[in-house]
Amino acid sequence: MTVVTDTADMQALAKRRVPKMFYDYADTGSWTQSTYRENEAALQRQKLRQRVARNIDNRSVKTTMIGQEVSMPVALAPVGITGMQHADGEILAAQAAEEFGVPFTLSTMSVCSIEDVAEHTKNPFWFQLYVMRDRGFSESLMQRALAANCSALVLTLDLQVLGQRHQDIKNGLSTPPNPKARVLLDLALKPRWCWNMLLTKRRQFGNIHGHVTGVHDMTSLSEWTASQFDPTLDWSSVEWVKKHWNRKLILKGINDVEDAKIAADLGADAIVVSNHGGRQLDGALASYEVLGDIVDAVGDKVEVHFDGGIRSGQDVFKAVAMGARSTYIGRAFVYGLGAMGKPGVTRVLEIIHKELDVTMGLCGETDIANVGRHNLVLKDGQARDARSLTQGGRPQPVAGSAAAS
């Protein structure tokens, strides 16, 4: 039996248990994958200030995201076709998140529909929207999310055109899988996955199939989906969304200070510093490299959340210390789901929670609300305005180096 101690162990298990095309879908980036790799590397380069001889009893990593109490500063990010990592994947991940006390975000491109997830959970979840060329369909998605009592809409802004992911093309990615010889051979080596998929009826894009005129089989569904990402999406589109959505609005895909300022001025409840996990613009800056500047620019106007490269509780701590209110995990929870289903997602959350708690203690803190840039070993430029913003934009003293007091 494999002993799971970190998310890397979960990743190894998922790679063995999930069909290659679906594992690769989650685990690769666009083009050369340089930004995908750099997201993790940037977090790894950040060093922490170890503090000793402090009373670190009674620690708490509880916080809030857009006014919602959460057990730690982590939400499950929207990930497409999660239901192909494990049968009924979105439902299982949503249940695990609900029980752990963190938000779950359902992707537009999910296998389990909005209604499926709502039927199998008790508390409101979040819904992520891709604005399609068919604005009527986008409006209907928002109405369905409202009817399902989704408490927040996460509007993704960085998918106007699809960044090419070479491995998906080579694998012939499709939902459900195309019955090609090499695909069938791979499936034959994944009996656990196949058995679970045989037991479910959910094998297509649940939010789309049956809700779009003229889409009646996988071929027409694939053609419709490929044609629907909207290159005309602009800031006026955000205003259009706000007219149809009267609950919390989060703008995801901000990776530039100027864009962050515009997003904040539009009245979003939160923005997510993100480069789509390195799956869109290859060669873009790592999310963590721009987080500090964005927090300094708009952290007193809007909640700043962080996405990109989170694989551990230490990564969560670093992002919060740099000024993020909270973080999102995508690949990390997908590894757990693919490896073990719902218990795997729960185990990943437990691992991240423990790592975050221990790291916070070893850095001399007892409350996540007090974590800030004084807990980091900062390079020149990371605190150029001589201040440090932690959660909610509260000023904190800046530590210029490990020797700062």
Side-chain angles (χ1 to χ4, degrees):
M1 180 179 178
T2 302
V3 177
V4 175
T5 60
D6 57 18
T7 60
D9 290 337
M10 281 296 191
Q11 181 178 2
L13 273 176
K15 189 172 185 178
R16 294 206 304 265
R17 294 176 176 177
V18 178
K20 178 176 170 56
M21 69 168 62
F22 298 121
Y23 174 82
D24 284 353
Y25 171 80
D27 197 49
T28 56
S30 63
W31 297 340
T32 69
Q33 303 189 80
S34 65
T35 298
Y36 167 34
R37 293 189 296 269
E38 185 61 16
N39 274 347
E40 293 182 56
L43 283 162
Q44 291 169 1
R45 285 194 297 269
Q46 178 66 71
K47 302 305 178 184
L48 303 171
R49 294 182 67 207
Q50 177 180 317
R51 304 305 300 272
V52 298
R54 294 189 173 199
N55 184 344
I56 56 171
D57 198 16
N58 299 317
R59 297 183 301 279
S60 174
V61 296
K62 293 180 180 180
T63 185
T64 62
M65 296 180 71
I66 56 170
Q68 178 178 333
E69 293 184 359
V70 293
S71 61
M72 61 176 172
V74 170
L76 269 59
V79 179
I81 59 175
T82 303
M84 286 291 150
Q85 302 293 330
H86 190 285
D88 301 333
E90 290 91 359
I91 291 172
L92 299 180
Q95 290 174 338
E98 179 178 87
E99 292 168 10
F100 206 87
V102 298
F104 169 78
T105 316
L106 181 69
S107 171
T108 290
M109 306 306 294
S110 61
V111 173
C112 302
S113 69
I114 300 168
E115 294 79 9
D116 281 334
V117 176
E119 182 181 351
H120 291 87
T121 53
K122 299 176 182 178
N123 298 329
F125 56 95
W126 299 353
F127 180 67
Q128 174 265 339
L129 178 70
Y130 289 129
V131 175
M132 304 293 195
R133 286 180 184 270
D134 183 347
R135 293 297 175 94
F137 177 68
S138 296
E139 184 178 346
S140 74
L141 280 174
M142 286 186 278
Q143 293 304 314
R144 288 167 61 194
L146 288 169
N149 201 29
C150 292
S151 56
L153 187 74
V154 179
L155 175 60
T156 295
L157 298 173
D158 59 356
L159 201 78
Q160 295 154 296
V161 61
L162 188 65
Q164 181 166 303
R165 300 145 196 178
H166 297 331
Q167 205 59 36
D168 289 350
I169 296 172
K170 292 173 181 175
N171 288 332
L173 179 70
S174 66
T175 307
N178 288 321
K180 296 180 180 179
R182 60 186 175 86
V183 174
L184 293 175
L185 176 60
D186 184 37
L187 294 179
L189 298 174
K190 309 292 191 300
R192 180 196 306 239
W193 183 92
C194 291
W195 176 250
N196 286 324
M197 290 303 300
L198 284 172
L199 297 178
T200 185
K201 61 183 180 182
R202 303 175 182 92
R203 304 188 192 94
Q204 303 192 54
F205 291 116
N207 290 325
I208 299 172
H209 194 262
H211 297 278
V212 177
T213 303
V215 173
H216 50 80
D217 57 23
M218 278 309 300
T219 299
S220 57
L221 175 60
S222 298
E223 291 173 351
W224 182 87
T225 302
S227 70
Q228 281 298 311
F229 292 111
D230 189 358
T232 69
L233 176 70
D234 59 11
W235 294 113
S236 68
S237 303
V238 177
E239 295 287 3
W240 176 82
V241 167
K242 289 177 67 176
K243 291 178 181 178
H244 298 281
W245 185 263
N246 59 6
R247 298 177 187 170
K248 299 290 187 177
L249 178 64
I250 301 171
L251 302 182
K252 182 175 181 289
I254 307 297
N255 211 48
D256 181 89
V257 170
E258 293 306 311
D259 286 341
K261 291 177 179 178
I262 297 171
D265 289 342
L266 284 172
D269 295 284
I271 62 173
V272 186
V273 178
S274 172
N275 55 36
H276 216 101
R279 294 167 59 77
Q280 282 297 95
L281 178 60
D282 189 37
L285 282 170
S287 299
Y288 189 72
E289 294 288 350
V290 299
L291 174 61
D293 287 342
I294 289 176
V295 169
D296 290 342
V298 301
D300 57 345
K301 298 178 181 177
V302 65
E303 276 193 22
V304 178
H305 300 172
F306 174 80
D307 168 74
I310 298 284
R311 300 292 184 271
S312 69
Q314 284 210 336
D315 293 336
V316 173
F317 182 87
K318 292 172 183 178
V320 171
M322 189 54 76
R325 160 70 69 169
S326 192
T327 65
Y328 294 67
I329 58 171
R331 290 181 173 98
F333 94 79
V334 165
Y335 297 149
L337 181 68
M340 299 180 180
K342 178 182 172 182
V345 179
T346 300
R347 180 66 182 130
V348 165
L349 291 170
E350 290 171 345
I351 289 168
I352 289 176
H353 186 279
K354 182 177 181 180
E355 291 172 341
L356 173 60
D357 174 68
V358 171
T359 299
M360 187 173 71
L362 294 176
C363 288
E365 303 291 351
T366 59
D367 190 335
I368 196 71
N370 295 326
V371 171
R373 292 185 196 172
H374 58 282
N375 298 117
L376 303 175
V377 179
L378 296 173
K379 299 179 295 183
D380 291 342
Q382 284 184 309
R384 62 175 56 91
D385 66 349
R387 67 191 176 97
S388 175
L389 296 177
T390 61
Q391 300 178 64
R394 294 187 294 275
Q396 295 288 326
V398 170
S401 69
S405 59

